[in-house]
């Protein structure tokens, strides 16, 4: 803010978030994963707080009724799409650190956000799905990896990408590599 006027909440967050994010990315780029992980976790926590609908003035807080609780209806507020890039970066750092559980948790969270906002087969989900395929490959679950790579390929083609498109070809290469690890078979 200016002198005599308090900073807006977003400005206050940016004063902390932007340098923290830049430091986290620089540290990750240097290859210092152990130093980057806690920084990236703080970035995600700050973004989660910044975009939490329960913390925004004027947004009603939803308390589940006894019927909703009984029926186990998910009343969790929908997280913001603004979290997705930070979640994908954090998942990548977890992958590099061989923390596959943390990687999967963040990728699943990112995919849930994207599919909730944009639909199950939205083109925006392909990066997260490809990362899930890579994670499955690293975990040596080659059939799961094939499923994710096939999904990405199918979504790209459904959204008008040509057969010789760089992303489409990469998915075919990923699929072929995962298939070689499990052996040939016929798909329906």
């Amino acid at each position: 803010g200016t002198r005599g006027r308090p900073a807006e909440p977003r400005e206050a967050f940016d004063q902390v978030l932007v340098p923290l994010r830049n430091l986290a990315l620089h540290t990750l780029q240097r290859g210092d994963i152990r130093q980057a992980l806690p920084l990236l976790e703080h970035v995600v926590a700050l973004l989660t707080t910044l975009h939490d609908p329960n913390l925004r003035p004027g947004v009603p807080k939803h308390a589940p009724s006894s019927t909703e609780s009984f029926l186990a209806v998910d009343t969790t507020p929908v997280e913001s799409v603004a979290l997705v890039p930070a979640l994908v970066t954090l998942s990548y750092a977890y992958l590099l650190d061989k923390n596959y559980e943390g990687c999967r948790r963040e990728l699943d969270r990112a995919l849930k956000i994207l599919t909730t906002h944009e639909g199950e087969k939205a083109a925006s989900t392909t990066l997260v799905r490809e990362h899930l395929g890579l994670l499955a490959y690293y975990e040596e679950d080659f059939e799961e990896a094939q499923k994710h790579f096939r999904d990405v390929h199918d979504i790209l083609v459904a959204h008008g990408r040509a057969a010789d498109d760089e992303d489409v070809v990469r998915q075919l290469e990923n699929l072929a590599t995962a298939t070689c690890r499990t052996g040939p078979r016929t798909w329906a």
Side-chain angles (χ1 to χ4, degrees), residues 123 125-131 133-134 137 145-146 148-154 156-157 161-179:
T125 66
T126 57
L127 176 67
V128 175
R129 290 177 193 278
E130 183 174 6
H131 282 226
L134 292 171
Y137 186 87
Q146 290 173 26
H148 288 294
F149 296 142
R150 204 173 306 114
D151 285 348
V152 173
H153 172 271
D154 294 348
L156 290 171
V157 170
R161 301 291 273 282
D164 62 348
D165 178 87
E166 177 182 336
D167 294 331
V168 172
V169 170
R170 185 177 65 251
Q171 296 317 307
L172 292 173
E173 290 168 350
N174 289 342
L175 185 56
T177 302
T179 302

Side-chain angles (χ1 to χ4, degrees), residues 44-130:
V44 168
L46 283 170
L47 282 169
T48 300
T49 302
L50 179 63
H51 294 286
D52 185 346
N54 289 320
L55 299 177
R56 283 190 238 140
V59 175
K61 291 161 185 58
H62 179 74
S65 68
S66 58
T67 305
E68 287 174 329
S69 296
F70 177 73
L71 296 174
V73 173
D74 183 8
T75 58
T76 308
V78 175
E79 293 185 287
S80 171
V81 173
L83 290 170
V84 171
L87 292 172
V88 170
T89 303
L90 178 58
S91 73
Y92 180 67
Y94 280 138
L95 181 66
L96 292 174
D97 193 43
K98 294 186 167 84
N99 178 347
Y100 299 143
E101 184 180 313
C103 181
R104 179 170 308 287
R105 181 184 60 242
E106 302 308 331
L107 289 173
D108 286 344
R109 182 177 172 193
L111 187 60
K112 180 181 178 184
I113 291 168
L114 289 172
T115 57
T116 300
H117 283 278
E118 300 177 20
E120 187 66 32
K121 298 295 180 184
S124 62
T125 66
T126 57
L127 176 67
V128 175
R129 290 177 193 278
E130 183 174 6

